[in-house]
Amino acid sequence: NGFKGASLRYFNATGSKWLTPIPSVSSFPILHFIKTDVLNSDWRVLDPKQGFLNDLNVYPYRLCDFIDSTMGFISPAWQDLNNKTAIGAMRLQDLNNVDIVFTKDKSKWSRCVIIETATKRLSDISPTIGGAKQFDLRKSPSVGKNDDDGDGKPDVDGDGSGMGWFPGYAVDVETGQRLNLFFGEASTYTAGAPFDTGNFTGGDMMFNPTAESQINDGANNFYDLVLGGQHTVYVTKTPYDGCDTLRGLLTGNSFKKIQAIRKLTWTFIPVTTPQEKLLSYKDGLIPNDCVISLRVDNPYHVANQKTTQQYNGYPTYKITIRDANETKELTPPQKTDALSNINMVPNPYYSYSAYETSQFNSTVKITNLPNKCTVTIYTLDGRFIRQYKRDEVPGSASNRPNAPFQNYQVIPDIEWDMKNDKGIPIGSGVYLVHVEAPGVGERTLKWFGVGRQFDPSGL
């Protein structure tokens, strides 16, 4: 199905290895939320070889089960029949190649919605804060990046409810575009909730999963699976706007939620590695910056003609070259370097050069010349042979269709046909080539050439 792989890399290779996404477990029905291994299931046909099952346990949202069971189960998917409409419109071939970066650097954090992840069965056992339903925005005041009062929780920022900060960002690595991503938490697992172990972090409006995967309350049901507070992460294919558009959709009715869910691509349920803890909110949460890389096959193709009318759907690029015509006075060392680049080629000349087009012409070049200069050729004893007075200016390219440059580029060389100023071929020997460039300086070259006998066979 085009899945290329998933990887997790820590910026500090010897630092804390804190992140552990929860797997879908086929032998454990409460956590069997990827059912591509079930024969004759709707998901099996999407991924018959279970290509998207991976050791990192980050999955396409499209493959997450959303149909409630009699015993209840935990899944990143919205457990609502309306989700069938939303998820049915998603295609695995639309998955994006993304990097999800976790960082303690708050300047790189992403403003995001925070949703309720507790299912109805879970909230029937322990009510959510404010009675929020799964995939509603959390019904707690929105928070900022800081903890100025030192209570270990983010400060309320006055921006309504359900908004917070993801400690990092997501990037589409093909386009370089930053993407919206967000997370949720099950506010049933909050301080004072049933069977609270003192570690519940599901209702504090910050990304702080714990290592507490399961509690033992004696009931032996899916409420036991705390899963770190169920801080499920969701990546979208929408350009980053601080989740402003998603906020409007997720606060609406079911039909608006469908529009939001159609934009989801990747998801996972994170917990921390046993014995590892996140930092305080004040210190940036993430103990060791890391990046999750998700790669799928995305071959080169032409854009959809229905949505892209120009250029037959092929990619187009606009390039701006600034200060291209700006000229600056050369410094003395730069003038010396410019003169040293002037050369005769080939040197020596042995009856042939690559510039010749037939057996009847002989051609050498004087290269890397400035636009304005005088080139004079002498014999070794100082007799005049030929002179070129060069004063080149760019030519207009306005008559060329789709010209990449406004003007023609000046050709930086002179072709010498090895004749004197009377049109008579020169004899073999050593010659002096003197170049005088006003405002730059002078350079004299020695050139040796051996002419060839006239060959009339081609006449």
Side-chain angles (χ1 to χ4, degrees):
N1 272 346
F3 182 65
K4 294 296 185 182
S7 65
L8 170 61
R9 177 178 61 86
Y10 289 93
F11 287 23
N12 180 359
T14 60
S16 169
K17 308 297 190 294
W18 59 273
L19 180 58
T20 306
I22 291 291
S24 173
V25 184
S26 59
S27 60
F28 189 26
I30 295 176
L31 264 181
H32 190 200
F33 57 88
I34 301 293
K35 292 188 169 63
T36 55
D37 55 349
V38 177
L39 292 174
N40 301 319
S41 72
D42 292 338
W43 292 273
R44 176 81 173 195
V45 296
L46 296 174
D47 192 18
K49 295 183 179 180
Q50 292 85 60
F52 280 101
L53 291 177
N54 58 86
D55 293 338
L56 192 56
N57 306 320
V58 181
Y59 306 107
Y61 182 90
R62 175 66 179 90
L63 297 181
C64 295
D65 189 5
F66 59 89
I67 301 173
D68 193 10
S69 63
T70 56
M71 69 175 66
F73 78 112
I74 294 171
S75 170
W78 180 32
Q79 293 186 23
D80 188 289
L81 290 180
N82 288 301
N83 193 36
K84 186 172 184 179
T85 303
I87 208 168
M90 301 170 70
R91 305 188 308 166
L92 290 176
Q93 54 263 48
D94 292 334
L95 286 171
N96 41 13
N97 283 283
V98 299
D99 279 355
I100 309 167
V101 180
F102 294 84
T103 176
K104 64 173 68 66
D105 183 352
K106 293 185 178 181
S107 68
K108 298 176 182 177
W109 284 15
S110 299
R111 183 67 167 171
C112 68
V113 294
I114 303 177
I115 66 167
E116 181 63 62
T117 57
T119 63
K120 182 180 184 304
R121 289 180 178 272
L122 193 55
S123 61
D124 286 343
I125 298 173
S126 177
T128 60
I129 294 176
K133 298 179 180 179
Q134 188 196 20
F135 260 84
D136 284 349
L137 293 190
R138 279 286 329 283
K139 292 191 177 179
S140 292
S142 298
V143 298
K145 295 181 182 179
N146 300 320
D147 175 22
D148 293 332
D149 57 13
D151 65 353
K153 298 179 181 180
D155 298 333
V156 173
D157 66 2
D159 183 20
S161 61
M163 298 295 293
W165 291 89
F166 180 87
Y169 56 93
V171 173
D172 185 317
V173 297
E174 292 187 70
T175 65
Q177 188 173 64
R178 184 169 180 169
L179 303 170
N180 283 312
L181 80 167
F182 61 93
F183 68 97
E185 51 182 3
S187 66
T188 53
Y189 299 109
T190 191
F195 318 111
D196 180 11
T197 61
N199 297 320
F200 283 179
T201 60
D204 51 15
M205 296 296 288
M206 61 177 169
F207 181 82
N208 58 345
T210 66
E212 187 171 38
S213 295
Q214 189 171 7
I215 59 175
N216 183 12
D217 59 14
N220 194 26
N221 58 40
F222 74 101
Y223 181 82
D224 297 352
L225 292 177
V226 181
L227 301 184
Q230 299 184 23
H231 291 75
T232 309
V233 176
Y234 299 90
V235 181
T236 78
K237 56 185 177 182
T238 61
Y240 179 70
D241 63 356
C243 280
D244 185 61
T245 301
L246 287 171
R247 182 181 192 178
L249 295 175
L250 292 172
T251 53
N253 55 32
S254 294
F255 295 105
K256 286 190 173 182
K257 281 186 179 178
I258 289 172
Q259 297 177 46
I261 288 179
R262 284 176 175 173
K263 304 178 188 300
L264 305 183
T265 52
W266 300 96
T267 186
F268 61 97
I269 306 172
V271 295
T272 58
T273 306
Q275 312 306 320
E276 297 287 350
K277 292 184 178 180
L278 300 186
L279 303 178
S280 68
Y281 197 80
K282 182 178 182 180
D283 293 332
L285 293 174
I286 306 304
N288 187 7
D289 289 9
C290 63
V291 55
I292 291 176
S293 297
L294 303 167
R295 299 293 183 265
V296 290
D297 187 19
N298 190 11
Y300 178 85
H301 58 280
V302 178
N304 190 332
Q305 295 287 327
K306 295 181 180 179
T307 58
T308 307
Q309 301 297 326
Q310 293 183 312
Y311 311 110
N312 296 320
Y314 288 100
T316 58
Y317 304 89
K318 182 177 181 180
I319 300 173
T320 300
I321 302 175
R322 303 185 186 280
D323 302 324
N325 297 320
E326 182 181 1
T327 58
K328 296 180 180 179
E329 184 69 24
L330 294 177
T331 63
Q334 290 174 326
K335 292 179 181 179
T336 301
D337 290 342
L339 288 170
S340 66
N341 288 329
I342 299 174
N343 279 302
M344 289 278 291
V345 287
N347 188 11
Y349 171 88
Y350 292 116
S351 304
Y352 168 78
S353 80
Y355 309 123
E356 296 163 356
T357 57
S358 77
Q359 66 200 73
F360 302 116
N361 62 52
S362 300
T363 306
V364 295
K365 284 189 177 184
I366 308 164
T367 62
N368 299 322
L369 294 169
N371 291 9
K372 188 172 183 178
C373 64
T374 300
V375 179
T376 310
I377 304 170
Y378 301 93
T379 62
L380 190 59
D381 58 0
R383 286 179 293 172
F384 175 80
I385 297 296
R386 193 161 182 176
Q387 186 176 77
Y388 294 91
K389 292 188 176 181
R390 175 179 167 88
D391 189 6
E392 300 292 327
V393 294
S396 173
S398 60
N399 61 338
R400 290 190 299 165
N402 299 318
F405 299 99
Q406 183 177 0
N407 298 318
Y408 285 113
Q409 186 176 4
V410 172
I411 298 174
D413 56 60
I414 289 175
E415 288 190 354
W416 180 33
D417 59 5
M418 297 175 59
K419 296 179 181 179
N420 64 17
D421 64 334
K422 304 298 183 182
I424 300 173
I426 62 168
S428 300
V430 178
Y431 291 82
L432 302 177
V433 180
H434 178 262
V435 180
E436 180 184 7
V440 179
E442 301 178 52
R443 176 170 170 78
T444 300
L445 304 170
K446 288 183 181 180
W447 174 81
F448 175 75
V450 177
R452 63 175 176 267
Q453 291 185 342
F454 177 69
D455 178 10
S457 62
L459 297 176

